[in-house]
Amino acid sequence: MHLIFNILYLVALVKYCTTHDDSDLPEKLKEIENYGVFFTLNSTLECYRNYYQLPVVKVLLNELTHRYPDIGLVHNPNKNHPFIAVEGVHRKTRNIVGYFLARKMGADIVYNPPQFMVSMGANFSDLTLRKAFFGLGGYAAACTARQLTRTVPAIITGHWMSQVAFAIAKVYDKVPPPESKVYTWPADLYMPDIVFFVNSCKS
């Protein structure tokens, strides 16, 4: 198996574009949310609005508030190390690459969702709650990375980009052009400094 590493540079999207009609964007974003991909923390939390009385929801939200009182904050003035994402179609391969990269760099692995949330996942069988659970997992993972990069490099395998790519493939008949706002990174989600895309194929 050959591993080809391509650095994906995060390019700022043009705010207003005249070459592409994004008139159906709100509708498409709603469809994308059905796959657990959210563009703001508030839209993720909104899914729980009618479920606050459930004990499992209370436990999850209380735990998140306790661990990440600044969830949704992206400014990191005390950052001393990079936040790196390893993306790829094959989960096992990207996890292996992320593991060895972390060993080489002396970095910490960031899990998505964080390990404390994994045991809670089985409690969210309702589709609405489950998609929001994984959406919150991404925000919690980003918060973990934000905290870690003050002392060590942080590496995550599979972040928002892989999730939104999957959702776009399900929602759109054709790949949206690069200038589409559907690719806009959430403003309240801590962004990796660099992304490695692992393109794996059988020899």
Side-chain angles (χ1 to χ4, degrees):
M1 179 180 291
H2 301 286
L3 299 181
I4 304 173
F5 295 88
N6 298 308
I7 299 178
L8 303 180
Y9 292 96
L10 300 175
V11 181
L13 298 177
V14 179
K15 186 174 182 181
Y16 297 103
C17 178
T18 59
T19 60
H20 174 62
D21 181 12
D22 256 346
S23 58
D24 63 344
L25 184 65
E27 178 184 340
K28 293 296 186 184
L29 294 185
K30 283 296 182 183
E31 292 183 50
I32 286 174
E33 286 185 0
N34 290 331
Y35 292 93
V37 179
F38 298 87
F39 292 83
T40 66
L41 176 61
N42 284 339
S43 63
T44 313
L45 293 172
E46 180 68 17
C47 293
Y48 289 111
R49 184 178 60 175
N50 297 323
Y51 300 91
Y52 287 143
Q53 75 281 5
L54 296 180
V56 291
V57 172
K58 289 181 180 179
V59 170
L60 172 62
L61 296 181
N62 287 340
E63 188 68 17
L64 283 172
T65 302
H66 173 71
R67 289 175 179 263
Y68 310 110
D70 55 357
I71 189 169
L73 183 66
V74 296
H75 185 51
N76 195 9
N78 298 318
K79 176 182 175 182
N80 293 302
H81 299 274
F83 175 30
I84 299 170
V86 178
E87 298 285 6
V89 176
H90 299 95
R91 180 180 300 179
K92 183 177 180 180
T93 302
R94 77 186 183 205
N95 287 348
I96 291 172
V97 172
Y99 171 76
F100 281 105
L101 182 61
R103 285 188 60 183
K104 188 72 174 179
M105 294 182 61
D108 278 5
I109 292 287
V110 177
Y111 296 95
N112 184 13
Q115 290 180 309
F116 80 90
M117 290 181 64
V118 173
S119 60
M120 301 181 185
N123 298 322
F124 294 91
S125 56
D126 178 87
L127 181 59
T128 298
L129 296 180
R130 191 162 183 80
K131 69 180 183 180
F133 174 82
F134 286 106
L136 282 180
Y139 275 93
C143 283
T144 300
R146 181 175 174 273
Q147 294 170 353
L148 285 173
T149 51
R150 297 167 185 171
T151 55
V152 294
I155 296 177
I156 189 170
T157 58
H159 198 18
W160 185 83
M161 281 167 286
S162 60
Q163 295 171 330
V164 76
F166 174 81
I168 288 172
K170 292 291 186 179
V171 170
Y172 283 85
D173 295 327
K174 297 180 180 179
V175 177
E179 62 268 20
S180 173
K181 296 181 180 65
V182 74
Y183 299 118
T184 304
W185 186 272
D188 56 2
L189 182 65
Y190 191 53
M191 181 186 291
D193 298 291
I194 191 169
V195 179
F196 291 99
F197 179 76
V198 182
N199 183 20
S200 57
C201 59
K202 294 182 179 180
S203 57

